[in-house]
Amino acid sequence: MVIRFWGVRGSIPVPGRATNRYGGNTSCVEVRPKGEPPIIIDAGTGIRKLGKLLLEESFGDGRGKASILISHTHWDHVQGLPFFSPLYRAGNEVHVFARERDVHLEAVFSQQHDAPYFPVPLSAMHATMQFHGVSEGASFDIGRAKVTSARLNHPSVAIAYRVDADGASVVYCSDTAPFSDMILAHEFVERPPSGILPLALLEELAEMRAGVVALAKNADLLIYDTQFTPEEYKKQPHWGHSRPDDAIEIAMAAGAKRLCLYHHAPMRSDDANDAILAGTRAAAQAAGARFEVMSAYEGLEVTVGDA
Ligand SMILES: [Zn+2]
Ligand SMILES: [Zn+2]
């Protein structure tokens, strides 16, 4: 299968000269099992360009079928959906998978289409849309691909996905804080400076980490949130993002074959991203890692297994 990166940025789109090489669009990755419809992970602003290209395939005459796996509904992961052109063609079928919430998923997604935020309500989309609630740890099939999931450590909770197809696997693990200092959900529970988290919470974190390591077991490609430098993490640990060293640690524990740095901070320039990539490669080598380290940029294409 082929994995294509359409948006690699966290938080907010950042077009401009300093971000041209890596790209300024927010989170969106296309996973394309051989001969199968696209499985899109996250609908940040990167999904707009992907949608335009899909119109040149069967989506142009209303015969397309796409699945969109949403990690969580923060803006940088859903904001591109109203601009996804295949939704405006009758006959297309779009399945949206996201974590089950108290509110019905369709209502969550339709809110950003409502006036005065957007002129076209979700109910006016011509394509057939179906919303599927995903419970943490759920697994299901999309065509010939097998999808599995795990809970992440992020405000309001995010979900990591693994797609297995064509004898290979890709794991998308964004957004998450490390599994050491605090638990993030509706509220966050911080490790007190003078002590440690209560045992039950430490166990919960350990369980979350184990779930992610199991999800990424022997993955051919592990895409991981590395928004923060160590200094930034110290200032905003409750924002729910990791550092390159956290990604290395998880990739080593899981035996992943390739690690891809992802969800770059909005203020990170291309040169700063280059430096982080070089530093992470050196750190991975020093730690005895066997995997290759790459950094996501718009237009990056990675083939794993048969393509
Ligand atoms: Zn994000
Ligand atoms: Zn988020």
Side-chain angles (χ1 to χ4, degrees), residues 83-239:
F83 299 88
F84 186 55
S85 301
L87 292 178
Y88 294 81
R89 291 285 157 94
N92 287 332
E93 210 180 294
V94 178
H95 294 265
V96 178
F97 297 80
R99 182 171 162 268
E100 272 173 350
R101 301 195 170 267
D102 305 339
V103 184
H104 192 273
L105 275 181
E106 187 164 355
V108 175
F109 283 90
S110 72
Q111 278 166 17
Q112 65 171 352
H113 281 259
D114 287 346
Y117 301 109
F118 197 69
V120 191
L122 189 69
S123 56
M125 296 290 126
H126 298 300
T128 303
M129 287 187 86
Q130 268 185 41
F131 292 84
H132 307 266
V134 177
S135 56
E136 293 155 18
S139 60
F140 48 95
D141 292 338
I142 297 178
R144 285 187 299 104
K146 184 175 168 52
V147 179
T148 37
S149 65
R151 187 209 153 148
L152 295 172
N153 196 18
H154 195 66
S156 301
V157 181
I159 282 191
Y161 293 102
R162 175 183 177 119
V163 180
D164 281 88
D166 304 329
S169 53
V170 55
V171 173
Y172 179 96
C173 201
S174 186
D175 308 16
T176 190
F179 308 98
S180 47
D181 303 318
M182 58 176 61
I183 288 197
L184 299 150
H186 294 299
E187 291 161 3
F188 64 92
V189 186
E190 198 167 354
R191 187 190 285 262
S194 56
I196 55 167
L197 280 169
L199 192 58
L201 295 183
L202 283 175
E203 281 172 357
E204 200 183 320
L205 275 174
E207 200 179 309
M208 226 189 282
R209 180 187 174 278
V212 169
V213 170
L215 192 79
K217 195 88 196 150
N218 299 326
D220 292 283
L221 179 66
L222 171 60
I223 301 164
Y224 208 93
D225 169 5
T226 51
Q227 169 149 341
F228 278 154
T229 61
E231 297 70 36
E232 289 160 2
Y233 176 73
K234 270 185 216 150
K235 286 183 206 148
Q236 281 107 12
H238 53 289
W239 283 12

Side-chain angles (χ1 to χ4, degrees), residues 72 74 77 154 175:
H72 63 311
H74 283 162
H77 302 261
H154 195 66
D175 308 16

